[in-house]
Amino acid sequence: MENNIELRSEKVRMLLGKIPSRFLRYGSMIIAISFVVMIVIVNIIEIPVYDKYPLIIDFIPKVKKFIAPTNSYVTFKKVSTCTFEGDTICAIVSQTNSDSVYFVIAPFTGYIEPYVKNNGKVEKNKPFLAIFPINPEKLLFKTRVPIAKIVDFQQNIDVIVELSDKNKTQLNGTVAYQEPQASDLYLFLYINNYNKIKSWNSSNTQGKVLLLRSKQSLFKSIISK
C-alpha cells in the first residue's frame, strides 16, 4: 500500500505550525458561557399572564353593601366611622378554611356602617358592611368572571383596564372586593390612576379587564407560543 504524501506550500506549513490566537483558543468557551447565561436569563425573567374579561362600567350607588362569599369571620383593621379610598377596612376569614382570607379595600372615600361586631360571624350571602360615599359621582369599574375559572382567586390581585376610547387609555388597579351572583363572581376594581381618564361617555365606552392569573418565565412563554 502506498504512503499518502501530502504536498503543502511553505506558507501553509507555516500557518499549521503557528499557535492559534486567543480568540480562536477561547472562542468556543466564550460561546458556551454566553449560551448558558442566556438560558439562565430567560428562565429568571418572569412576565405576567393575564386572562381577559368584559369591562362593566357602573356608578357608585348611594350606599355600597359588602356581601360575604362564605360563612366567615369579620375582623376590622381599625374601628372608625370613616374610611378613605384605598384603605383596608377588614379581613374576611372563612369559617371552614382559615387559609381562605381576603381583605376588603375601600373603593371610595365614605362613611362605614358595620353590620357585625369585630371578629363576629356572618353567614354566606349576607351583608356585613356598608359604605356611604362622600363623592358619589366617581365611577366604578367591575367585571364578571365565572366562578369555576377562579377557584384559586386571591384578593387584591392586580388588574389592567384597557378602554376602547380614542386615547386607548390603560388603567392599573387591584380587585377591591367581590360579590358572588349565581355561577358568576363580580369583581369590583380599585383603580390607582383615575387621573388618566380625560373624558367620559359611559353609555358607549367599552373595554376589557386583564386579570393577573400567574407569572411565568420568559422561556416558558416563548415555548408556549
Side-chain angles (χ1 to χ4, degrees):
M1 182 176 180
E2 296 183 357
N3 294 328
N4 291 329
I5 300 176
E6 297 181 3
L7 299 177
R8 297 189 178 93
S9 68
E10 184 178 352
K11 290 183 177 181
V12 172
R13 290 198 300 271
M14 288 178 64
L15 288 173
L16 291 175
K18 284 185 177 181
I19 300 175
S21 64
R22 284 188 177 181
F23 179 78
L24 293 177
R25 281 184 290 164
Y26 298 107
S28 299
M29 184 184 298
I30 293 172
I31 294 173
I33 292 174
S34 301
F35 183 73
V36 171
V37 170
M38 184 180 65
I39 292 177
V40 171
I41 290 175
V42 297
N43 277 280
I44 290 177
I45 296 177
E46 290 186 333
I47 60 174
V49 179
Y50 291 93
D51 290 329
K52 296 180 181 180
Y53 298 99
L55 173 68
I56 303 171
I57 299 176
D58 197 5
F59 287 93
I60 293 177
K62 293 181 179 179
V63 58
K64 175 60 196 171
K65 293 184 179 181
F66 294 82
I67 309 298
T70 61
N71 294 335
S72 308
Y73 297 102
V74 182
T75 301
F76 290 93
K77 185 176 181 181
K78 59 181 180 179
V79 179
S80 175
T81 58
C82 182
T83 185
F84 294 95
E85 181 178 323
D87 283 352
T88 300
I89 304 174
C90 61
I92 309 299
V93 184
S94 172
Q95 294 182 21
T96 57
N97 181 9
S98 59
D99 292 331
S100 178
V101 181
Y102 76 87
F103 298 93
V104 175
I105 297 176
F108 47 80
T109 299
Y111 302 101
I112 299 175
E113 182 180 333
Y115 295 151
V116 296
K117 295 181 179 180
N118 191 26
N119 297 320
K121 295 181 180 180
V122 61
E123 295 180 2
K124 181 179 179 180
N125 295 330
K126 296 290 184 180
F128 61 88
L129 175 72
I131 299 181
F132 297 85
I134 295 175
N135 299 312
E137 71 280 1
K138 192 169 184 179
L139 286 168
L140 268 183
F141 295 94
K142 61 184 178 181
T143 187
R144 184 179 67 253
V145 180
I147 292 178
K149 288 192 175 183
I150 50 173
V151 176
D152 298 326
F153 169 75
Q154 296 179 358
Q155 199 71 13
N156 307 330
I157 194 169
D158 292 336
V159 297
I160 295 176
V161 175
E162 294 182 348
L163 303 179
S164 57
D165 57 1
K166 62 180 181 180
N167 299 315
K168 301 296 181 181
T169 305
Q170 188 175 88
L171 306 172
N172 300 314
T174 57
V175 175
Y177 58 93
Q178 55 180 304
E179 280 187 0
Q181 293 186 18
S183 60
D184 294 327
L185 194 66
Y186 282 85
L187 306 181
F188 290 79
L189 312 180
Y190 168 70
I191 302 300
N192 300 322
N193 52 345
Y194 267 109
N195 58 337
K196 290 185 66 175
I197 303 174
K198 296 182 179 179
S199 60
W200 270 106
N201 186 344
S202 60
S203 62
N204 60 18
T205 299
Q206 298 179 345
K208 55 189 175 183
V209 176
L210 280 64
L211 188 67
L212 181 63
R213 172 160 49 90
S214 63
K215 290 185 177 182
Q216 66 179 17
S217 67
L218 181 59
F219 177 77
K220 287 184 178 180
S221 176
I222 294 173
I223 293 299
S224 61
K225 291 180 181 180

